Amino acid sequence: MSLPRATVRVTPDRSVFTGETVTLKCEIEDQYRSLNWRYLWYKNTTKVFNSGRYTLNRDSLTIRGVTESDQDEFRCSTGIHGRPQTLQSSSAAYLTVKGSKPKLTSNTEGSVLTGNTVTLKCHIDHWSTEWKFYWYNNTQNTEKTTTATNSYTIHSVKVSDGGQYWCRAGRGKPDYYTDYSDGLWINVTESPKPVVSVDPDKQLFRGETVTLRCDIQDTGDTEWTYSWTVKKTNNRNIITQCNTQECKINNIQPTDSGKYTCRGKIREQNTEMSDAVTLTVSSGEFICLFIIISVKR
């Protein structure tokens, strides 16, 4: 009788982390499982026995507290009791063992301005949907939150969100946890509020030139970019073409009337929106009419 060749299935994965528990199972096609099989296990060419971290249980081999020395090829040999000539080897399953310390990164550099979004990422090799990620802030004793993916986002950050963060990952039953990442500092500072000034005046006549200036005080930064928004009388917000600190409007028209605001941006972070400055542009026709009436008199 030609016997089937066994295959080796590895749980949780062929790529595991130091300290994790891994189980290798020698699987034979269903129609042959009723036979009186015997199993032998080999690490590379060395026979494996019950010892220390290695536990043999008929068709399975469990390795507890995996170390880098366990990285190797594993195979099982199967045969029928009383028929030594039937012994044959499975294909090899290569077990990869990696260090278990994740790397924590952030989408921000330097200080984060309040009101912005911070995204942290916990990087481990070959993670999949079976992993959960655990996040810690200021102390490793209490989890801040748990996520099903390797990213954690803090929306509209506050000063109180600042501090040191760590992450680690876990999977399996019972849970296996990686080491903690190194700590990562997130510094949150109050977002400055720009102030808009107008030259020559907020009350204007058609055809005049007006310059609006967006000033951000007491930051010491010179790399700001700027955006300007005008709210029309119909409450429609329009982003203007101005993208510099000074927004100059030549030959202004009544249609340019509205409430103007600005905000600054640096390192992909926005400041607060300034208070609105209202520009009112008159057509000047009533002046001409007044002059004509005065002359006729």
Side-chain angles (χ1 to χ4, degrees):
M1 178 175 69
S2 177
L3 294 177
R5 191 180 189 189
T7 58
V8 176
R9 179 168 59 88
V10 185
T11 305
D13 200 344
R14 293 193 182 198
S15 180
V16 293
F17 294 85
T18 54
E20 198 164 6
T21 295
V22 63
T23 297
L24 300 91
K25 188 174 179 65
C26 194
E27 295 189 332
I28 298 172
E29 295 175 29
D30 289 345
Q31 62 266 38
Y32 296 101
R33 288 185 182 177
S34 60
L35 297 176
N36 189 17
W37 292 103
R38 64 191 182 104
Y39 301 87
L40 301 174
W41 284 94
Y42 294 87
K43 180 177 183 285
N44 205 325
T45 57
T46 303
K47 189 176 179 180
V48 176
F49 297 92
N50 268 313
S51 62
R53 296 179 297 105
Y54 285 60
T55 302
L56 296 173
N57 183 16
R58 196 167 178 269
D59 61 349
S60 66
L61 165 64
T62 298
I63 310 172
R64 304 182 189 281
V66 169
T67 68
E68 292 181 0
S69 65
D70 297 315
Q71 180 166 293
D72 211 330
E73 286 185 348
F74 287 83
R75 57 174 53 83
C76 64
S77 289
T78 54
I80 299 175
H81 281 286
R83 298 170 62 181
Q85 72 278 8
T86 61
L87 196 67
Q88 62 176 330
S89 178
S90 70
S91 58
Y94 193 85
L95 185 65
T96 301
V97 182
K98 299 180 178 294
S100 65
K101 188 173 184 176
K103 181 180 179 181
L104 179 60
T105 62
S106 168
N107 67 323
T108 61
E109 295 180 7
S111 294
V112 184
L113 300 179
T114 55
N116 285 275
T117 296
V118 174
T119 299
L120 303 174
K121 284 202 171 182
C122 192
H123 301 271
I124 62 172
D125 293 326
H126 306 298
W127 69 273
S128 60
T129 55
E130 64 195 33
W131 286 94
K132 289 183 179 179
F133 292 84
Y134 304 88
W135 307 88
Y136 305 82
N137 178 213
N138 292 325
T139 175
Q140 295 177 357
N141 295 331
T142 305
E143 294 169 15
K144 184 175 180 65
T145 192
T146 303
T147 60
T149 66
N150 73 331
S151 65
Y152 169 51
T153 299
I154 309 171
H155 297 281
S156 192
V157 294
K158 306 179 293 295
V159 172
S160 59
D161 291 318
Q164 196 169 19
Y165 285 78
W166 296 265
C167 73
R168 65 173 176 168
R171 69 175 176 184
K173 291 183 179 180
D175 284 338
Y176 159 77
Y177 296 99
T178 67
D179 294 334
Y180 290 94
S181 69
D182 288 334
L184 178 68
W185 279 96
I186 301 296
N187 300 311
V188 183
T189 59
E190 287 287 354
S191 175
K193 186 173 183 176
V195 176
V196 177
S197 57
V198 181
D199 183 31
D201 197 356
K202 301 174 188 177
Q203 302 289 331
L204 301 157
F205 296 103
R206 176 189 293 174
E208 285 192 289
T209 295
V210 65
T211 300
L212 299 96
R213 181 179 173 87
C214 187
D215 285 306
I216 301 173
Q217 302 294 329
D218 302 326
T219 64
D221 288 308
T222 58
E223 301 174 358
W224 292 102
T225 58
Y226 299 84
S227 61
W228 292 84
T229 303
V230 56
K231 188 173 188 178
K232 299 293 188 176
T233 54
N234 61 1
N235 286 329
R236 182 184 176 192
N237 285 321
I238 299 174
I239 298 174
T240 72
Q241 294 182 349
C242 296
N243 57 10
T244 56
Q245 185 176 20
E246 290 189 344
C247 181
K248 189 173 185 180
I249 307 173
N250 295 309
N251 190 27
I252 199 165
Q253 300 297 312
T255 54
D256 294 315
S257 297
K259 297 180 178 181
Y260 285 76
T261 54
C262 75
R263 73 191 321 167
K265 186 175 184 178
I266 189 168
R267 296 187 297 273
E268 301 304 314
Q269 298 175 51
N270 293 307
T271 66
E272 290 186 53
M273 191 72 76
S274 71
D275 289 333
V277 170
T278 302
L279 294 187
T280 303
V281 183
S282 301
S283 65
E285 293 174 356
F286 73 95
I287 296 177
C288 295
L289 180 60
F290 175 78
I291 293 172
I292 292 170
I293 293 172
S294 297
V295 170
K296 286 185 176 180
R297 287 182 179 177

